[in-house]
Amino acid sequence: MAARWICRARHVMVVTGAGMSTESNLPDFRSKDGWWRNIDPVTVATVEALEKQYELFHAFYQARLEALYEAEPHQGHNILAKWEEVGVVSGIATQNVDGLHTAAGSEQVHELHGSIHSIRCYSCGQEAELHAFHEGRGCDSCDGKLRPGVVLFGEMLPQKAWDEALKQIEQADVVLVIGTSLEVYPANQLPWMTRGRTVYMNMELNADASAFDAVITGKAKEVLTKLDKKLELYCANN
Ligand code: NAD
């Protein structure tokens, strides 16, 4: 059914979360193998932690950056990039900060929670090199605390990424929501801002699942691979 909707759609928009990247060996937050079992990341990925518990904040992002060195896009990322290239997908709004959609070749990627790859000073905003962050150094200009360019809990989303994602969601005939618990506001509102069909593809179901037009339970890579095969079948015959 989802494949048929996609074939007939003029605009398909994709919303992804951390579950999109677990098969690239990057833990998500809320699954049983999620980040830091003993520490709730929601208490570390905050402005308060940056200001008052910098050592903990730094260690958390250091660990996440180190995990990224080995990470590569998987077949699911590649399929989404291919769908954009052939005109099936118009854009991806992602909560992920890992850059894997772009690495796979997707171009219309709206990073709602920023990127972990860019480092800047929390005090004066000056950009810094990644290795300065790894070494735990302060800002070259003002000795302020260095931080990654991610959106921390308590911070605003980047306006441009949000506006562009929203515009594409409003135009979409189909919205595919992949690998997110839908717990983080305001990104979790995006699926409800479309007049198109909504499809939820996630490993486990949550309370919001019943509000989607279709639900596919499974791992992102496997579900996208199967859907890609179905598209080849249905789109050729439609
Ligand atoms: P989340 O951890 O709250 O939820 C992830 C969801 O994905 C869960 O419901 C889980 O069942 C599902 N899932 C896990 N593996 C899957 C797979 N292989 N296929 C399909 N579904 C799978 O993540 P969230 O909703 O994105 O929100 C958490 C916040 O954490 C976001 O703000 C995000 O920016 C941040 N985060 C980002 C990364 C990353 O960039 N890779 C990693 C961890 C957390």
Side-chain angles (χ1 to χ4, degrees), residues 10-215:
R10 283 191 304 155
H11 299 286
V12 177
M13 183 62 181
V14 180
V15 177
T16 62
M20 183 74 213
S21 296
T22 54
E23 289 160 282
S24 291
N25 295 324
L26 297 175
D28 61 10
F29 273 3
R30 292 177 181 80
S31 292
K32 63 174 173 35
D33 299 321
W35 272 103
W36 287 19
R37 290 203 177 168
N38 301 325
I39 295 179
D40 181 355
V42 174
T43 63
V44 187
T46 60
V47 175
E48 202 182 3
L50 198 173
E51 287 177 350
K52 297 185 185 143
Q53 289 182 286
Y54 186 70
E55 220 170 284
L56 189 65
F57 173 90
H58 186 269
F60 177 66
Y61 282 103
Q62 180 94 315
R64 290 188 63 184
L65 276 163
E66 277 165 15
L68 260 176
Y69 291 143
E70 310 268 299
E72 284 181 5
H74 60 66
Q75 184 60 14
H77 292 102
N78 296 340
I79 286 169
L80 293 179
K82 181 183 82 177
W83 287 357
E84 183 187 322
E85 200 184 333
V86 299
V88 172
V89 157
S90 40
I92 301 174
T94 187
Q95 297 168 79
N96 297 343
V97 297
D98 54 36
L100 290 183
H101 286 301
T102 306
S106 292
E107 291 180 3
Q108 284 290 315
V109 183
H110 312 299
E111 293 183 310
L112 301 172
H113 293 167
S115 165
I116 200 167
H117 300 284
S118 63
I119 303 293
R120 66 173 193 272
C121 172
Y122 178 54
S123 301
C124 73
Q126 177 165 297
E127 287 179 13
E129 300 285 343
L130 204 52
H131 66 83
F133 181 76
H134 280 307
E135 288 161 15
R137 293 194 343 231
C139 168
D140 279 347
S141 301
C142 72
D143 203 32
K145 292 173 179 141
L146 296 184
R147 59 162 290 175
V150 300
V151 176
L152 302 173
F153 288 99
E155 290 185 318
M156 299 286 287
L157 268 56
Q159 195 65 44
K160 188 163 174 269
W162 176 259
D163 288 347
E164 287 175 1
L166 193 56
K167 196 169 141 203
Q168 288 188 319
I169 291 271
E170 284 169 349
Q171 287 170 349
D173 310 299
V174 176
V175 176
L176 309 177
V177 179
I178 310 171
T180 170
S181 61
L182 292 169
E183 285 194 24
V184 179
Y185 180 88
N188 63 358
Q189 298 305 302
L190 285 175
W192 321 124
M193 292 177 170
T194 182
R195 276 173 293 183
R197 308 261 197 191
T198 52
V199 182
Y200 187 43
M201 305 178 192
N202 210 57
M203 216 165 63
E204 56 201 5
L205 299 184
N206 59 36
D208 293 314
S210 59
F212 285 83
D213 295 309
V215 176

